[in-house]
Each structure stands twice: as C-alpha cells, then as structure tokens.
Amino acid sequence: MTALRHDWTRAEILALLELPFADLVARAQGVHREHHDPNAVQVSTLLSIKTGGCPEDCAYCPQAARYATGVEAEKLMDLDAVLAKAQAAKAAGATRFCMGAAWRSPKDRDIPKVAAMIGAVKALGMETCATLGMLSEPQAHALKHAGLDYYNHNLDSAPEFYTEIIHTREYQDRLDTLGHVRDAGLKICCGGIVGMGESREQRAGLLHALATLPAHPDSVPINRLVQVAGTPLAGTRALDPFEFVRTIAAARIAMPKSMVRLSAGRAEMSDELQALCFLAGANSIFYGEKLLTTGNPDVEHDQALFARLGIHALEVDVESNTVHADIVERCAAEAAA
Ligand code: SF4
C-alpha cells in the first residue's frame, strides 16, 4: 500500500509531471486501485446560492463585479429555492450538494441563513459542501455545528503565480481559512485551476502546496480554466489536454486517498479526454447543467458516459450523514429571524 506522504518536494512532483505519459498514467492508476474503487465516481452538484457582484479581482472569475462579463449580481437565494434545487440534484443521482456564494467572506448575519440551507439539504440525506470565501474561526465552527460536511476553499495556483491572478487577498489568507476549517473539524475541499498561463513547474508548485498541507484535502478539485469574455484571462493560450491529464495523475500519486475532482472546464472536454482523466485517477465530478455561472455537461450525457465506461456513482454513507431535526428547525428559525 502506497504510504501517505506529506514531505513531497516540488522537484519530485515536477519529476512526476515529466514522466513519459504512459508511465505516469500507469503509476497513477496503480495508486488509484490501491486506495479506491477504480470504477466508482463521486457525484456532486454545485449551486450558486448568491451570484455575482463579488468585490475580489480573481482574474479568471466572471462573478467579479469589476469585470464586464454579463453576470448580474443577485441576492442570496431563499431557503425553499435552494431546497428545491437540492431535491432535484438528489433525484438526478448527486450525493453531495455544494452551495457557492460570490463573497469575499460571509458577513456574520449571513451565517444563520446558510446554516439553515445546510441543515435542510443534510436532512435530505446528502453530503453538504459550501464555498463562501474566507472564513473566520467562529464562522467555521458555526457551519460545522449546522451540519456542514465539507468546505471548499481553493489555493488556486502555485504561491509565486498567485500574485499574477489575484491582488485582493493573499495566499496566506487562503491558508488561514483552511486552518480555521480544519480546526473546526470540517472536511476540506481544496484544489486549483490550471491553464491560466502558468508553467509546468508552477503546476508542480500548486500540487506541492496541496500535498504538503497539514492533511491532504479530502477532495481536490482540479479545474481547467474556462475562459470567459470580459475577464483578464480571456484569450489565454489553451492548455494542452495531455498536460491536464498529467496534472490529474500527479495529484492522484501525491494525494493517494483524496477524491480528485474533474471540475470546471469539463464541458469543453471530449468524452475521451474525461475517460483518460478517470484512468489517471480522477474519481469525482460536478454534475448538473451549470457550474456556478459557466456550463457543465448535461446529466443525461454524463449518465451515458458512465454507462459506456462501466462507471457507477459512489454511494454516500447516509448513516454518518444524518442530522437531527432540531438543528434543522433551529437554523430555519434563526434564518427567519
Ligand atoms: S473566485 Fe470567488 S472570490 Fe474570486 S471573484 Fe469569483 S466569486 Fe469572488
């Protein structure tokens, strides 16, 4: 059994990325089979519960208020609307429901409203995930108390490339939020984006930063940049698809137990490229027609692809996912107050 390592060097990860393609994929597939069912893929659905109008300047993001991308700022969705979307996602086969809000960080007054959503979704028997921006320590604890399973907060890139992409918050701010989330006992979903113009060495730097966190993230989303007109990264030279597969494979080898997720950019991937990613160790996808504000393959297409590849959706452990009705009621009452 491959041991979990937290002492990867950047040079070692770069050396993985530089292996002959077949050697890299074979090694990743071997590690994958040691730790996971190679034919099971975890399925999450992502809902934007508060879209647009974000004060941050992430150069890839159509939700940043400062870029003219046509994304209109909306208010936080109400509880019933979120619950209806979660029920539909569950009916379509999703086991995890991720709620995303375009905030720099949530205000304390937002927390009870989000807590009510978490409680209600959890009561459906789904795993819950939230991505709300930077979190304080008390906010992380409040979300945990509401029944949240995962918190998503990405490192986005290698530390030295980060300042080319984001100027309104520091890399250390991200590490601090991850620390609060970890200390609150939440599972961590943390990955990055490739295809932003970074070098292979810098992709190794992103994977190195992830693999040397105090604990490997439970989920590692690897996003391929979706170029949106109006954002500074529109027009960036597209990443070689094989380089994307290499990144997935190196993530699998460096973080053997993590769920490696094919995230943004899947709508532009062929079925064959997605199959290669699964072969290289990806075992989680976002499912549903929309990813926050950008497109995603439709559910029927994904189901057909799973059938063609003999892949089944990973079941959620419902027993560990139960939540007491009193928490749901209290959160709903706080949200209504
Ligand atoms: S990625 Fe998040 S924090 Fe950055 S601009 Fe978009 S919504 Fe705001």
Short mmCIF file of all heavy atoms in Angstrom, two decimals, residues 54-58 60-65 67 101-104 133 156 166 169 174, ligand 1:
data_model
loop_
_atom_site.label_atom_id
_atom_site.label_comp_id
_atom_site.label_asym_id
_atom_site.label_seq_id
_atom_site.Cartn_x
_atom_site.Cartn_y
_atom_site.Cartn_z
N CYS A 54 -19.09 40.22 -6.83
CA CYS A 54 -18.03 39.97 -5.85
C CYS A 54 -16.97 41.08 -5.92
O CYS A 54 -16.55 41.48 -6.99
CB CYS A 54 -17.38 38.61 -6.13
SG CYS A 54 -16.11 38.22 -4.90
N PRO A 55 -16.52 41.57 -4.75
CA PRO A 55 -15.53 42.65 -4.74
C PRO A 55 -14.11 42.20 -5.06
O PRO A 55 -13.23 43.05 -5.25
CB PRO A 55 -15.61 43.17 -3.30
CG PRO A 55 -16.05 41.98 -2.50
CD PRO A 55 -16.97 41.20 -3.40
N GLU A 56 -13.86 40.89 -5.10
CA GLU A 56 -12.50 40.40 -5.34
C GLU A 56 -12.13 40.54 -6.83
O GLU A 56 -12.98 40.82 -7.68
CB GLU A 56 -12.40 38.93 -4.92
CG GLU A 56 -12.72 38.70 -3.46
CD GLU A 56 -11.70 39.35 -2.54
OE1 GLU A 56 -10.62 38.79 -2.34
OE2 GLU A 56 -11.99 40.45 -2.03
N ASP A 57 -10.84 40.32 -7.14
CA ASP A 57 -10.41 40.54 -8.53
C ASP A 57 -9.81 39.29 -9.19
O ASP A 57 -8.97 39.40 -10.08
CB ASP A 57 -9.42 41.71 -8.60
CG ASP A 57 -8.02 41.35 -8.09
OD1 ASP A 57 -7.88 40.32 -7.39
OD2 ASP A 57 -7.07 42.09 -8.42
N CYS A 58 -10.24 38.11 -8.77
CA CYS A 58 -9.72 36.86 -9.35
C CYS A 58 -9.82 36.92 -10.88
O CYS A 58 -10.93 37.06 -11.41
CB CYS A 58 -10.49 35.67 -8.79
SG CYS A 58 -10.61 35.70 -6.98
N TYR A 60 -9.77 35.04 -13.31
CA TYR A 60 -10.49 34.03 -14.10
C TYR A 60 -12.00 34.13 -13.92
O TYR A 60 -12.75 33.42 -14.57
CB TYR A 60 -10.05 32.62 -13.66
CG TYR A 60 -10.09 32.41 -12.16
CD1 TYR A 60 -11.29 32.10 -11.51
CD2 TYR A 60 -8.95 32.58 -11.38
CE1 TYR A 60 -11.34 31.95 -10.13
CE2 TYR A 60 -9.00 32.42 -9.99
CZ TYR A 60 -10.19 32.11 -9.39
OH TYR A 60 -10.25 31.98 -8.02
N CYS A 61 -12.47 34.99 -13.00
CA CYS A 61 -13.83 34.82 -12.49
C CYS A 61 -14.84 35.79 -13.10
O CYS A 61 -14.72 37.01 -12.96
CB CYS A 61 -13.82 34.97 -10.98
SG CYS A 61 -15.46 34.68 -10.29
N PRO A 62 -15.89 35.25 -13.72
CA PRO A 62 -16.93 36.11 -14.29
C PRO A 62 -17.83 36.76 -13.23
O PRO A 62 -18.63 37.63 -13.56
CB PRO A 62 -17.74 35.14 -15.16
CG PRO A 62 -17.49 33.78 -14.59
CD PRO A 62 -16.10 33.82 -14.01
N GLN A 63 -17.66 36.35 -11.96
CA GLN A 63 -18.52 36.91 -10.91
C GLN A 63 -17.91 38.13 -10.24
O GLN A 63 -18.54 38.74 -9.37
CB GLN A 63 -18.81 35.84 -9.86
CG GLN A 63 -19.50 34.62 -10.44
CD GLN A 63 -20.23 33.87 -9.37
OE1 GLN A 63 -21.23 34.32 -8.83
NE2 GLN A 63 -19.73 32.70 -9.03
N ALA A 64 -16.68 38.47 -10.60
CA ALA A 64 -16.05 39.66 -10.03
C ALA A 64 -16.77 40.89 -10.60
O ALA A 64 -16.90 41.04 -11.81
CB ALA A 64 -14.58 39.70 -10.39
N ALA A 65 -17.22 41.77 -9.70
CA ALA A 65 -18.03 42.92 -10.13
C ALA A 65 -17.27 43.82 -11.10
O ALA A 65 -17.86 44.47 -11.96
CB ALA A 65 -18.47 43.71 -8.90
N TYR A 67 -15.35 43.15 -13.60
CA TYR A 67 -15.22 42.71 -15.00
C TYR A 67 -16.59 42.71 -15.67
O TYR A 67 -17.59 42.26 -15.08
CB TYR A 67 -14.62 41.30 -15.09
CG TYR A 67 -13.32 41.14 -14.30
CD1 TYR A 67 -13.08 40.00 -13.54
CD2 TYR A 67 -12.35 42.14 -14.32
CE1 TYR A 67 -11.91 39.84 -12.81
CE2 TYR A 67 -11.17 41.99 -13.58
CZ TYR A 67 -10.96 40.85 -12.83
OH TYR A 67 -9.80 40.72 -12.11
N ALA A 101 -21.25 30.89 -2.82
CA ALA A 101 -21.67 32.30 -2.77
C ALA A 101 -20.49 33.18 -3.18
O ALA A 101 -19.37 32.97 -2.72
CB ALA A 101 -22.14 32.67 -1.36
N ALA A 102 -20.75 34.15 -4.03
CA ALA A 102 -19.69 35.04 -4.52
C ALA A 102 -19.46 36.15 -3.51
O ALA A 102 -19.87 37.30 -3.70
CB ALA A 102 -20.09 35.61 -5.88
N TRP A 103 -18.82 35.80 -2.44
CA TRP A 103 -18.47 36.74 -1.37
C TRP A 103 -16.96 36.74 -1.17
O TRP A 103 -16.31 35.70 -1.36
CB TRP A 103 -19.08 36.30 -0.03
CG TRP A 103 -20.54 36.50 0.11
CD1 TRP A 103 -21.28 37.56 -0.33
CD2 TRP A 103 -21.47 35.62 0.78
NE1 TRP A 103 -22.59 37.39 0.02
CE2 TRP A 103 -22.74 36.23 0.71
CE3 TRP A 103 -21.35 34.41 1.44
CZ2 TRP A 103 -23.89 35.65 1.26
CZ3 TRP A 103 -22.47 33.82 2.00
CH2 TRP A 103 -23.73 34.44 1.91
N ARG A 104 -16.43 37.90 -0.73
CA ARG A 104 -15.04 37.88 -0.24
C ARG A 104 -14.98 37.01 1.01
O ARG A 104 -14.12 36.18 1.17
CB ARG A 104 -14.60 39.32 0.08
CG ARG A 104 -13.27 39.43 0.77
CD ARG A 104 -12.88 40.90 0.96
NE ARG A 104 -11.77 41.04 1.89
CZ ARG A 104 -10.49 40.85 1.58
NH1 ARG A 104 -10.16 40.51 0.35
NH2 ARG A 104 -9.55 41.00 2.47
N GLY A 133 -16.05 31.90 0.46
CA GLY A 133 -14.94 32.84 0.61
C GLY A 133 -14.20 32.60 1.91
O GLY A 133 -14.28 31.52 2.50
N ASP A 156 -5.84 27.75 -5.63
CA ASP A 156 -5.88 28.31 -6.99
C ASP A 156 -4.62 28.03 -7.81
O ASP A 156 -4.72 27.57 -8.95
CB ASP A 156 -6.15 29.82 -7.00
CG ASP A 156 -7.63 30.12 -6.88
OD1 ASP A 156 -8.43 29.17 -6.72
OD2 ASP A 156 -8.00 31.31 -6.93
N ILE A 166 -4.50 37.19 -8.58
CA ILE A 166 -5.35 37.79 -7.54
C ILE A 166 -4.54 38.80 -6.74
O ILE A 166 -3.41 38.52 -6.33
CB ILE A 166 -5.90 36.69 -6.60
CG1 ILE A 166 -6.76 35.71 -7.39
CG2 ILE A 166 -6.71 37.30 -5.45
CD1 ILE A 166 -7.01 34.40 -6.69
N ARG A 169 -6.47 39.51 -2.11
CA ARG A 169 -6.23 38.70 -0.90
C ARG A 169 -4.93 37.93 -1.10
O ARG A 169 -4.52 37.69 -2.23
CB ARG A 169 -7.39 37.77 -0.58
CG ARG A 169 -7.50 36.61 -1.53
CD ARG A 169 -8.58 35.63 -1.13
NE ARG A 169 -9.90 36.14 -1.48
CZ ARG A 169 -11.01 35.40 -1.45
NH1 ARG A 169 -10.96 34.15 -1.06
NH2 ARG A 169 -12.16 35.90 -1.80
N ARG A 174 -5.63 32.48 2.34
CA ARG A 174 -6.26 31.20 1.98
C ARG A 174 -5.82 30.10 2.95
O ARG A 174 -6.63 29.31 3.41
CB ARG A 174 -5.88 30.81 0.55
CG ARG A 174 -6.49 31.74 -0.45
CD ARG A 174 -6.20 31.39 -1.88
NE ARG A 174 -6.86 32.38 -2.71
CZ ARG A 174 -8.04 32.22 -3.29
NH1 ARG A 174 -8.68 31.08 -3.17
NH2 ARG A 174 -8.60 33.19 -4.00
S1 SF4 B 1 -13.49 33.39 -7.44
FE1 SF4 B 1 -14.82 33.82 -5.68
S2 SF4 B 1 -13.71 35.41 -4.55
FE2 SF4 B 1 -12.81 35.39 -6.63
S3 SF4 B 1 -14.01 36.93 -7.76
FE3 SF4 B 1 -15.00 34.94 -8.10
S4 SF4 B 1 -16.62 34.83 -6.56
FE4 SF4 B 1 -15.20 36.44 -5.92
#
